Amino acid sequence: MEHVAVLAARVERERASEADKADKRMTAEAAVQLIHDGDHIAIGGTLYSRTPMALVFALLRQRRRHLTVSRPLACYEIELFLSTGALDRIVSSWVGIGLPWGLAPIFRHYVERGEVAYDEWSHLAMGLRYKAGAMGVPFLPTLTMLGSDLATQLDLQTVTCPYTGERLAAVPALNPDVALIHAHRADMLGNAQVDGYQHMDVDMARAARTVIVSAEQIVSPDEIAARPDRTMLPHFAVDAVVAAPHGAYPHECYGRYGPDLQHFDAYAAAAKQEGPAAALRYVEENADQSFASFLEAAGPERLAALAADAGELTPR
């Protein structure tokens, strides 16, 4: 079964980790060559928090096909993939920037026309699915979604608790082919650290067959070892490391920079007015250039202002 194969692969990698501590640094373009048509891609962070946008842009440039994308709370990156014809299926509990911007019109366009499959799970169920995948078990029992329309639409199976006789939902494991994660810092071996909230990234990465980490900074192994409590992923769970300063922009990275709400405003307005054409134009004007050029277009003053915003919310 799929979850057993993933677990076996992880065990084998852990056995080999001491003998093979390779330098895993590469460019975003090289890293996304690990992704193939038909793969299931899990995107780390949640909504517009610590999204691996440098990796997302690099993948968009490849124009992959027949992908499945899963994410606990998905943002407008889903619409960008849809506009390029990359997606066959979306697995998430939400798609959209956030309540101030309303429902995602381009996402609705594709789903309502049956041009992409959408598996809608509760937010808790998404976390449990990744956790089951990370644990190597086929499902986890829970109360979430029982009695809901979602359970019916997904044909969610149930189990009976052997101790209490209670009826529970059996949420199936989710094992992505590739997980894309953005971190605050990583070393060349793949040890990755995150400041602040980790979201569902740990379980997502451990459930995946391949893990690509972008990082605000590439630091020495000694610097990682000096703060072991910050290490979210060990080197043996990571396959590629990409240096990506501001790698979550225009989304936010805790303590480094806040979200560019003006950027979101402009995108949402265009999406509402023009539909899928707006998303495709966004890809062509932003993702199809280098990420460095995208940041240069934002300008140092804008990036500095967003860094100041993040500083106001960070303990000193």
Side-chain angles (χ1 to χ4, degrees), residues 245-282:
H246 285 92
Y249 177 81
H251 297 197
E252 64 97 19
C253 186
Y254 174 81
R256 295 299 184 105
Y257 44 89
D260 191 338
L261 303 183
Q262 294 179 10
H263 191 95
F264 296 164
D265 286 340
Y267 172 82
K272 184 176 181 179
Q273 182 175 359
E274 303 173 39
L280 183 58
R281 187 175 69 253
Y282 183 100

Side-chain angles (χ1 to χ4, degrees), residues 25 104 199 202 268:
R25 290 174 294 181
H199 302 305
V202 174

Side-chain angles (χ1 to χ4, degrees), residues 202-213:
V202 174
D203 287 332
M204 179 187 293
R206 289 186 176 275
R209 300 175 186 273
T210 299
V211 178
I212 301 172
V213 171

Side-chain angles (χ1 to χ4, degrees), residues 222-246:
D222 288 342
E223 187 168 339
I224 294 290
R227 293 186 288 180
D229 58 306
R230 298 291 180 87
T231 301
M232 181 177 74
L233 295 174
H235 66 91
F236 56 78
V238 175
D239 298 277
V241 176
V242 175
H246 285 92

